[in-house]
Amino acid sequence: MSPHLSKEFLVQLGDQYGTPLYVYHAEKIKEQFEKLKAAFSGGDTRFFYACKALTNINVLKYINSIGCNVDCSSGNEVLLALRAGFPANRILYTSNNIAFSELEAVASHGVNINIDSLSNLRKFGLKFGSSYPVGIRLRPNIMAGGNLKIATGHESSKFGIPIEQLEDILDLIRETGITIRGLHIHTGSEIKDVSVFLQGVEILFGLADHFPELEFLDLGGGFKVPYKPGETGTDIDLLGKKLAEAVTSFERRMNRKIQVWFEPGKFLVSECGFFITQVNVLKPTRTINFAGLNTGLNHLIRPMFYDAWHTIENISNPSGPIKKYNVVGNICETDTFASDRELNEIREGDYLVFRNAGAYCFEMSSNYNARLKPAEILIKDGRPRLIRKADVFEDLLRNQVILDEGV
Ligand code: LLP
């Protein structure tokens, strides 16, 4: 049975730890990982959790403990992954427009590296020659992803080396002797259509001949998860089946073996997360019923930034009559979480819980309006554990230098 946190339990957590509060359910992460393994069991597949979605060190440790690898987008994420106990060979670093010094620092740990520009590929090749084989991130010129901000593979995207620059890559290999062991693409986030992934892998198959040392094709992340009731995500079972067929026929044709890598972020952690908030103020107006929360876009930016839908439930009054609300925050600019949303009747003080609050929620939070970041809780084996304390006032001043002489 799918792991589940009851409404009563979430209310208890709100009472015990205070709100706003991020809650993550470890067993749900495991369930998602098991789904991935089962769906792609027809081939030689490796999964690297895109930890940019949620980097709490305890979540990283848990992900390590269930045998999933990790994908990092910055030198600091690599350091966090090492601190969480991942060995270097289970860490992948997929860079984007970073200083060469960061690549050098990351390479000193011996992790797997994908390089996304000709400029850095050249510097890396000149420094390491064939001694440090790498993957290269390519731009496949495919438009995909839930919205333009999270579409990364299209023709005007800054990400990766455009595939039409293949000759330049080959020149660099000849010039520096660098070994290319992987080809990477990440076309976007929230890609529902399995044919996008298949189209991507076919593009990589078409290039494989130029890279005799190739060990893996990395298709990035981007699996869609359901956010709205009744919505479906990427059909990973279908994708797994189709991909296995495509890879088998490629392997036969080329007479070589190839691994497929994925870097799922949302798929692993989106649904494990719950954001518990409390209603400060009810403001009925002529046209709209506002429910004003004790949080805002500073804690959960996805609705305002991506027009993202998060399912919201009134866990304090689950059988109250249904009414329509605009659920809004307490920040000094428009921060609407949901408009015209049907919810069980809200009273001031009620807890509203946001679902899908695991991926890119706490991780993208800020101290805007000098508000404090919330605490994070991890539930494992039914037991809640505090994994981040809420900010206190002093945190706001922690890195500020208070000039003695005044300003
Ligand atoms: N690999 C690479 C190279 C990526 O850039 C990303 C996400 C992933 C993997 C993981 O993608 P996922 O499986 O989570 O879709 N903040 C946005 C999403 C930004 C994704 C950035 N890159 C949001 O909240 O929707």
Side-chain angles (χ1 to χ4, degrees), residues 81-131:
L82 288 165
R83 185 75 72 89
F86 286 93
N89 64 356
R90 289 182 44 221
I91 299 176
L92 172 61
Y93 171 73
T94 304
S95 65
N96 168 237
N97 292 332
I98 43 100
F100 184 63
S101 53
E102 186 169 315
L103 266 181
E104 286 175 301
V106 163
S108 73
H109 298 289
V111 304
N112 302 290
I113 293 180
N114 286 326
I115 296 180
D116 98 317
S117 67
L118 288 172
S119 163
N120 273 333
L121 189 63
R122 182 157 195 282
K123 289 176 193 156
F124 202 89
L126 288 175
K127 172 150 184 180
F128 293 102
S130 62
S131 70

Side-chain angles (χ1 to χ4, degrees), residues 48 50 52-53 71 73 94 137 147 149-150 152 159 184-186 188-191 220-224 227 263-267 302 305-306 308 359-361 364:
F48 296 79
K52 69 196 79 185
D71 173 50
S73 60
T94 304
R137 178 170 185 173
N147 62 66
K149 287 200 184 90
I150 54 176
T152 47
F159 295 96
H184 170 283
I185 51 172
H186 169 76
S189 194
E190 298 188 21
I191 302 169
F223 300 140
K224 180 168 169 41
Y227 276 81
E263 303 159 359
K266 280 179 187 157
F267 189 86
R302 301 194 71 258
F305 200 47
Y306 308 111
Y360 309 105
C361 292
M364 293 179 79

Side-chain angles (χ1 to χ4, degrees), residues 202-262:
E202 288 299 338
I203 290 176
L204 298 185
F205 288 157
L207 299 173
D209 233 4
H210 299 281
F211 304 96
E213 258 91 21
L214 211 58
E215 296 162 31
F216 66 86
L217 301 178
D218 181 343
L219 301 184
F223 300 140
K224 180 168 169 41
V225 292
Y227 276 81
K228 289 185 187 174
E231 202 176 48
T232 51
T234 313
D235 186 344
I236 56 163
D237 292 324
L238 177 67
L239 177 58
K241 195 167 148 282
K242 297 243 177 212
L243 189 64
E245 286 165 13
V247 171
T248 308
S249 95
F250 167 81
E251 288 181 332
R252 280 214 197 99
R253 211 165 54 238
M254 309 298 281
N255 198 23
R256 64 200 277 193
K257 288 275 170 207
I258 200 91
Q259 254 183 9
V260 176
W261 292 10
F262 283 108

